[in-house]
Amino acid sequence: MAVSTTADPRPINAADEALALAGTLQAADFGPAWSVYTPAQPRALDTTSCSYRPDGAVTLVDNGGNQEGPTMQLGSSSTYVSSYAITFPSEPLAMEYIGVVSTDIWGTCRTAQIQQQTVEPSSQQVVVLTTRDAPNLQTNGFESYAQFEYHQPDGSTIAVIETSFYRLGRTVISVAKQYAALDEAQSAALTNDPYTALSAAYARVGTLS
């Protein structure tokens, strides 16, 4: 979601800001193999986002309730984990948001957006949405998933983006993993370390909720 050039004039909702910040995956949640690639920052309403709907759930989020965690990089590899958390005014609005990001419309929009934003026009790479299914989906707050792949003209996969959405009451946490070829140690780190970080975020949100 792009950062607005106009500051939100509304006063910050301190409780929602605290919940949203608690829901982001924070640098301290990761092990020493990871470093901050880009810092955390507040997120602003973006009308070009695939999850935006006029008068929809995201338009009702209070100032401070939309936060982006740091993007973490695994060593010097092309392996990154990013997150954001949105605290909605009510649980039904959080459920509405999950409904939006679970639709085929969102998936098609997001595929096109990744293609436009990350692939050079001269490149022959194509971004493909390969699945909306994942192990443990619909359990323990894990409510939506999408896997995107960068394909070469011969159909081979050169990179992957996995996007997962979790809901804890009125707070939604989104975690994105981006990676290419991984060795065994990198694969283990990408599996285990974001899970540890997410568990820490769950605990923080649970304490504040």
Side-chain angles (χ1 to χ4, degrees), residues 142-156:
F142 181 21
E143 297 202 6
S144 190
Y145 175 82
Q147 179 171 304
F148 307 90
E149 295 181 356
Y150 292 83
H151 287 181
Q152 294 280 49
D154 63 2
S156 60

Side-chain angles (χ1 to χ4, degrees), residues 189-202:
L190 185 61
T191 298
N192 298 326
D193 295 346
Y195 176 80
T196 299
L198 180 63
S199 297
Y202 262 52

Side-chain angles (χ1 to χ4, degrees), residues 2-78:
V3 177
S4 171
T5 56
T6 303
D8 192 328
R10 301 173 299 168
I12 290 177
N13 182 322
D16 286 6
E17 180 184 52
L19 264 175
L21 286 170
T24 60
L25 276 56
Q26 299 173 10
D29 299 332
F30 287 81
W34 297 82
S35 61
V36 174
Y37 184 74
T38 58
Q41 62 180 343
R43 299 173 80 238
L45 179 67
D46 179 9
T47 58
T48 69
S49 169
C50 294
S51 60
Y52 175 83
R53 302 291 183 273
D55 300 319
V58 294
T59 69
L60 302 175
V61 175
D62 283 339
N63 190 9
N66 195 348
Q67 298 289 332
E68 181 178 336
T71 296
M72 304 299 295
Q73 181 180 16
L74 178 59
S76 59
S77 71
S78 298

Side-chain angles (χ1 to χ4, degrees), residues 134 142-146 162-166 172-177:
F142 181 21
E143 297 202 6
S144 190
Y145 175 82
E162 298 181 26
T163 303
S164 302
F165 295 90
Y166 307 85
V172 172
I173 300 171
S174 177
V175 178
K177 301 178 182 179

Side-chain angles (χ1 to χ4, degrees), residues 10-11 18 35 42 44 75-76 79 110 131 133 135 139 159 161 177-179 189 192:
R10 301 173 299 168
S35 61
S76 59
T79 302
R110 189 68 186 123
T131 184
D133 196 17
T139 62
I161 298 175
K177 301 178 182 179
Q178 182 171 346
Y179 56 92
N192 298 326

Side-chain angles (χ1 to χ4, degrees), residues 65-171:
N66 195 348
Q67 298 289 332
E68 181 178 336
T71 296
M72 304 299 295
Q73 181 180 16
L74 178 59
S76 59
S77 71
S78 298
T79 302
Y80 304 92
V81 175
S82 58
S83 67
Y84 66 81
I86 307 175
T87 296
F88 293 89
S90 68
E91 188 168 352
L93 287 173
M95 295 169 66
E96 177 186 321
Y97 180 81
I98 291 292
V100 169
V101 300
S102 299
T103 61
D104 291 341
I105 292 173
W106 180 89
T108 300
C109 172
R110 189 68 186 123
T111 303
Q113 199 172 61
I114 295 171
Q115 177 82 38
Q116 181 181 27
Q117 293 176 350
T118 66
V119 179
E120 292 292 334
S122 60
S123 171
Q124 292 184 304
Q125 295 175 19
V126 177
V127 178
V128 178
L129 173 57
T130 55
T131 184
R132 299 303 306 266
D133 196 17
N136 303 315
L137 189 62
Q138 304 301 326
T139 62
N140 196 30
F142 181 21
E143 297 202 6
S144 190
Y145 175 82
Q147 179 171 304
F148 307 90
E149 295 181 356
Y150 292 83
H151 287 181
Q152 294 280 49
D154 63 2
S156 60
T157 300
I158 59 172
V160 178
I161 298 175
E162 298 181 26
T163 303
S164 302
F165 295 90
Y166 307 85
R167 185 178 65 82
L168 290 77
R170 61 192 185 96
T171 298

